[in-house]
Amino acid sequence: MTWTVAPEPFDSPDASLLRRDYYAEVAGRYWGRPATTGEIDSGLTDDGAGLLAAPAGDFVIGRSEGRAAACAGLLLVDAGTAELTRVYVRPEFRGTGGGGLLLAALEERARALGVTLLRLDTRHDLVEARGLYAKHGYREVPAFNRGPYAEHWFAKELGVTGAEPSGQSLSPRASSAS
């Protein structure tokens, strides 16, 4: 499979569908049943995705053979720290390398912004996500927030390149849960 990863507005048609799929999966796993359309709509209302755009953050889409297959967001916390959020690979594309490419793309963008620490939280039942983070050098760390769904916390130290991605300058914002 050929993958490409590129920045895209969090509210583009493909990004919106991926965010719906992400929420449907994480909510369905949490509740132990499929999430309804109304529950998904409610969960996406005021979910903070607006912060995943300059100057507070970034959002990327992974495409496999041209099909929107994955997404991930970056949220600046302070001058040296950013959080990964909404990292999602559609089930039929898992295990094909897309998740690692999403992480690499956001790590590169974060480094260019002077970020030296990337962190995230996740739930216990999101086993595939935890495996992806560990495989790509994220280590479990003590809790850094008290999000209602945060059960595991990961972080990765980054080197810095100093160039800004795509000519965009992002500025820090307060952190929110993944």
Side-chain angles (χ1 to χ4, degrees):
M1 285 189 174
T2 301
W3 279 90
T4 59
V5 176
E8 191 162 323
F10 70 91
D11 58 354
S12 74
D14 283 339
S16 295
L17 287 173
L18 283 161
R19 288 179 39 243
R20 286 187 74 77
D21 289 353
Y22 161 83
Y23 190 81
E25 181 168 342
V26 298
R29 283 190 185 196
Y30 184 76
W31 293 325
R33 61 167 174 77
T36 67
T37 299
E39 290 167 336
I40 295 167
D41 291 342
S42 177
L44 292 172
T45 300
D46 299 323
D47 70 343
L51 295 174
L52 302 178
D58 205 357
F59 195 77
V60 297
I61 298 283
R63 295 179 190 282
S64 177
E65 307 296 333
R67 289 182 53 210
C71 64
L74 179 73
L75 181 63
L76 294 177
V77 176
D78 59 41
T81 307
E83 289 186 8
L84 294 178
T85 184
R86 294 169 184 82
V87 177
Y88 177 71
V89 179
R90 286 185 167 139
E92 64 268 30
F93 295 98
R94 292 179 187 159
T96 65
L101 291 173
L102 284 176
L103 295 178
L106 285 179
E107 288 169 10
E108 178 182 332
R109 294 178 74 74
R111 277 187 200 95
L113 295 166
V115 169
T116 57
L117 181 70
L118 265 181
R119 66 187 193 186
L120 62 101
D121 64 61
T122 191
R123 291 196 332 240
H124 182 71
D125 62 320
L126 300 177
V127 176
E128 302 90 340
R130 293 187 359 241
L132 174 70
Y133 305 135
K135 178 180 178 180
H136 291 279
Y138 290 78
R139 63 184 178 11
E140 287 214 48
V141 297
F144 54 81
N145 67 15
R146 294 181 188 199
Y149 307 108
E151 297 172 326
H152 292 268
W153 296 263
F154 289 83
K156 182 176 183 177
E157 293 182 19
L158 305 176
V160 179
T161 63
E164 291 186 3
S166 305
Q168 294 183 358
S169 176
L170 305 181
S171 63
R173 280 279 177 103
S175 167
S176 66
S178 292

